[in-house]
Amino acid sequence: AEDGIRDHCVTGVQTCALPISFDENLVYVNDVEIYRPFLTRSGQQEGLSFINSDLISNINFSSGGFNATYADKLSSVLDIEYRKPEAFAGSAYVSFLGAGLHLEGISKNEKFTWLTGFRQKSNQFLLKNLDTKGEYKPSFTDLQGLFSYKFSERTSISYLGNLSVNNYRVIPSTRETEFGNINEALKFTVYFDGQEQNAYSTSQSAITLNHRVNDHLQLKLIGAGFITKEKEFFDVLGEYFIDELDKDLGSSNFGNVAYNKGIGAFLDHARNELQANVTSVEHRGSYVQSKYNFKWGIKAQHESISDNIDEWQYRDSADFSIVHPPDNPGDSVTFSQQIVLNNVVKNKINLNSNRFNGFINSTWQLDTSFTLVAGVRATYWDLNNELNISPRASIEYRPKGNKYLKLRAASGVYYQPPFYRELRGLDGQINPNIKAQQSIHFILGGDYQFLSWGRQFKLTAEAYYKKMNNLIPYKLDNTRIRYLAKNNADGYATEIGRAHV
């Protein structure tokens, strides 16, 4: 939902200008919260996001200060609404990176509608440009469907389903990286043996029952489930050389290896398997009058996670792991003569927990210019027995005589109760006492709509400040986010002058 780099500083650790973590952002499709794989490393091993652009009818995005109808994350919310078909239609595309097909239609009596999308993607041509050369075989497949049936003018039911299979296999061969400066130019070369093979299969389903009691009152019941089965298997042996390059401009060997500075080897091993099931049931309602809108909701969610972690690294070079036999036959092996593994993580985790949350949110049209929105959310998690209350409010101003300009200010308290990725530390242990991260938002912004080139455009500009407490720091391991599972940092996020059309 938010990408790129923002001003984002964490005062409890030595980190600034962090990229936004996906885990800080909410994504909804037709009022259903969307989850993603736990182990996947974005950018390489997850080639397709959940959202299929061929199926979208409407997008709402908020970088902060969003109201209480949305759940509990630190940064932003992306709210997607899929299309309601009005006739049979379809589209297709083919490229070097993949292919896609979407079909939609409506029955003759206009009671049943269907919307489906299929995507297949492989970014192996892009991965061939990485520093690590080898045989890349990624394959990402996604199938989605939205099916609706109208029992009457007041009652309808819909089903949203998704099946995603991400397979990522790489057989690395070599890696060459040059670094340093004009005074010391170095070259790092690795020769590989082995392979990495990962698989992430996820499915998500939701059944929504809508009933409009009258012109003012509407009720909704949502039952949803998310299942993920993931594995990371790899054994990669690397033998590396660090060489100094010839930096003499007058030398015939300029830019080539002058002499070797060091050699070594490493072995990375993993047999990680994870399965997670998330089920929920939710009730939402709304009561609308001409100048007043009241919404409420309550949700219960059960999570069952089974995680088998088995990974380690072996380093064989100076000051790491030097192995030699005992000096005399029959002597016992001392600690310095043992094979020492690095970054050993072994654990079997079975975690079951329940979450409960609810909200109320009111909108008042004060006059033709001002609209006030205020609400509160409450969350409870039985794993750490933490209850959080989140008040939120915003005000919107439309100048009289200018219906195209809208100014707004918003503030609120936002808690992000930890999910499984934040619970598990670098050592593979669960911290059940970890608390929710907190963010306090202050937002100023505006929208301006205008016509140009025969089309309607909207210019949006925002400035915000977010004070963050009880943060859970993370490390970037290649492209994988690894949390420390501790509330040991505070921070802030700011952005001024952000604008887009």
Side-chain angles (χ1 to χ4, degrees):
E2 285 188 48
D3 54 6
I5 301 294
R6 69 178 179 191
D7 293 332
H8 183 159
C9 291
V10 179
T11 58
V13 293
Q14 296 298 317
T15 307
C16 269
L18 287 173
I20 299 300
S21 166
F22 181 96
D23 300 322
E24 296 181 19
N25 307 297
L26 276 167
V27 179
Y28 283 93
V29 173
N30 287 31
D31 292 331
V32 178
E33 186 177 353
I34 302 303
Y35 299 94
R36 69 191 295 261
F38 293 89
L39 301 180
T40 185
R41 309 176 191 196
S42 60
Q44 290 186 23
Q45 298 162 331
E46 187 186 26
L48 289 169
S49 68
F50 182 96
I51 300 166
N52 188 332
S53 59
D54 294 331
L55 313 182
I56 294 175
S57 67
N58 190 37
I59 299 176
N60 290 310
F61 173 73
S62 174
S63 60
F66 44 92
N67 63 47
T69 60
Y70 296 112
D72 310 284
K73 295 285 187 178
L74 289 180
S75 293
S76 67
V77 59
L78 181 65
D79 190 359
I80 304 293
E81 184 179 349
Y82 277 178
R83 213 167 29 250
K84 294 181 179 179
E86 297 179 352
F88 177 77
S91 65
Y93 67 88
V94 178
S95 72
F96 288 109
L97 296 179
L101 171 68
H102 116 269
L103 295 171
E104 61 184 81
I106 186 170
S107 64
K108 291 183 178 180
N109 61 6
E110 299 185 350
K111 288 190 173 184
F112 177 70
T113 62
W114 52 278
L115 178 68
T116 59
F118 171 79
R119 295 177 295 172
Q120 205 286 328
K121 181 181 178 181
S122 175
N123 57 358
Q124 66 183 72
F125 296 109
L126 299 178
L127 297 176
K128 287 182 179 179
N129 296 322
L130 298 175
D131 288 341
T132 301
K133 306 302 180 184
E135 182 180 1
Y136 288 89
K137 292 184 177 180
S139 177
F140 315 114
T141 305
D142 172 82
L143 177 64
Q144 293 189 37
L146 176 62
F147 306 91
S148 301
Y149 185 80
K150 185 188 298 184
F151 295 102
S152 66
E153 291 299 322
R154 295 184 179 273
T155 306
S156 64
I157 191 170
S158 65
Y159 170 79
L160 174 66
N162 167 267
L163 176 63
S164 176
V165 179
N166 297 327
N167 290 313
Y168 181 85
R169 184 188 180 200
V170 58
I171 303 175
S173 57
T174 61
R175 177 186 177 98
E176 291 187 356
T177 304
E178 295 183 1
F179 60 98
N181 52 47
I182 193 172
N183 296 319
E184 187 179 35
L186 302 175
K187 182 178 182 179
F188 178 68
T189 305
V190 187
Y191 298 95
F192 292 102
D193 191 14
Q195 68 175 343
E196 176 182 346
Q197 185 154 4
N198 305 322
Y200 313 92
S201 300
T202 65
S203 62
Q204 189 156 354
S205 300
I207 297 177
T208 303
L209 179 63
N210 285 283
H211 179 64
R212 184 163 54 89
V213 180
N214 52 48
D215 293 339
H216 303 288
L217 179 62
Q218 183 170 337
L219 305 177
K220 181 181 293 188
L221 183 65
I222 304 173
F226 169 75
I227 300 175
T228 181
K229 296 181 180 180
E230 309 173 25
K231 70 175 184 179
E232 290 185 324
F233 287 4
F234 56 81
D235 286 288
V236 177
L237 173 65
E239 297 178 340
Y240 61 87
F241 301 82
I242 299 179
D243 302 309
E244 183 161 342
L245 302 180
D246 190 341
K247 56 182 180 292
D248 185 356
L249 294 176
S251 172
S252 60
N253 195 43
F254 174 73
N256 296 320
V257 174
Y259 62 91
N260 178 264
K261 298 193 69 172
I263 62 173
F266 63 86
L267 175 62
D268 288 347
H269 166 91
R271 293 292 185 272
N272 298 329
E273 294 182 276
L274 181 144
Q275 179 170 343
N277 299 274
V278 180
T279 57
S280 64
V281 59
E282 180 179 10
H283 162 67
R284 289 189 173 215
S286 65
Y287 182 81
V288 181
Q289 287 187 337
S290 59
K291 294 184 178 181
Y292 177 71
N293 185 341
F294 178 71
K295 295 182 178 181
W296 68 91
I298 186 170
K299 180 179 180 180
Q301 178 171 298
H302 176 73
E303 300 162 9
S304 177
I305 298 172
S306 175
D307 192 7
N308 185 11
I309 313 167
D310 182 1
E311 61 180 68
W312 48 263
Q313 296 175 331
Y314 173 66
R315 299 285 183 264
D316 187 3
S317 60
D319 296 329
F320 281 91
S321 302
I322 306 300
V323 181
H324 59 85
D327 296 330
N328 300 310
D331 288 353
S332 60
V333 178
T334 65
F335 178 79
S336 63
Q337 295 166 338
Q338 297 178 12
I339 296 177
V340 178
L341 299 177
N342 307 96
N343 302 322
V344 179
V345 182
K346 292 179 178 287
N347 199 6
K348 291 186 177 181
I349 299 169
N350 290 288
L351 184 67
N352 290 275
S353 63
N354 300 286
R355 301 178 193 262
F356 305 92
N357 64 64
F359 71 88
I360 55 174
N361 193 78
S362 296
T363 303
W364 294 273
Q365 185 70 47
L366 301 180
D367 56 27
T368 57
S369 298
F370 288 94
T371 302
L372 176 65
V373 181
V376 63
R377 285 191 69 89
T379 63
Y380 175 77
W381 191 25
D382 66 3
L383 184 68
N384 60 3
N385 294 317
E386 184 180 28
L387 174 66
N388 295 307
I389 307 296
S390 305
R392 307 172 187 179
S394 65
I395 189 166
E396 180 182 291
Y397 172 67
R398 291 178 180 267
K400 293 181 180 179
N402 190 346
K403 62 180 180 180
Y404 302 107
L405 178 64
K406 179 173 64 176
L407 304 175
R408 63 182 177 276
S411 183
V413 180
Y414 298 82
Y415 288 94
Q416 181 173 317
F419 208 43
Y420 181 69
R421 295 220 302 173
E422 295 99 318
L423 282 177
R424 198 184 86 178
L426 299 179
D427 58 357
Q429 302 297 318
I430 293 294
N431 179 8
N433 299 317
I434 198 168
K435 301 300 182 182
Q437 302 177 92
Q438 185 198 62
S439 181
I440 304 174
H441 293 189
F442 301 94
I443 313 291
L444 291 174
D447 298 331
Y448 180 71
Q449 297 182 2
F450 61 94
L451 292 174
S452 183
W453 299 299
R455 297 182 57 187
Q456 185 171 353
F457 290 83
K458 182 171 72 171
L459 175 65
T460 299
E462 275 190 341
Y464 63 69
Y465 174 81
K466 301 175 183 178
K467 178 68 176 71
M468 300 179 180
N469 306 302
N470 285 336
L471 291 179
I472 306 171
Y474 60 84
K475 293 184 177 181
L476 291 176
D477 178 8
N478 194 5
T479 55
R480 178 170 57 172
I481 293 176
R482 308 195 71 174
Y483 286 90
L484 304 186
K486 298 178 181 178
N487 298 105
N488 61 347
D490 296 321
Y492 65 88
T494 62
E495 189 168 72
I496 299 176
R498 177 173 180 263
H500 63 269
V501 177

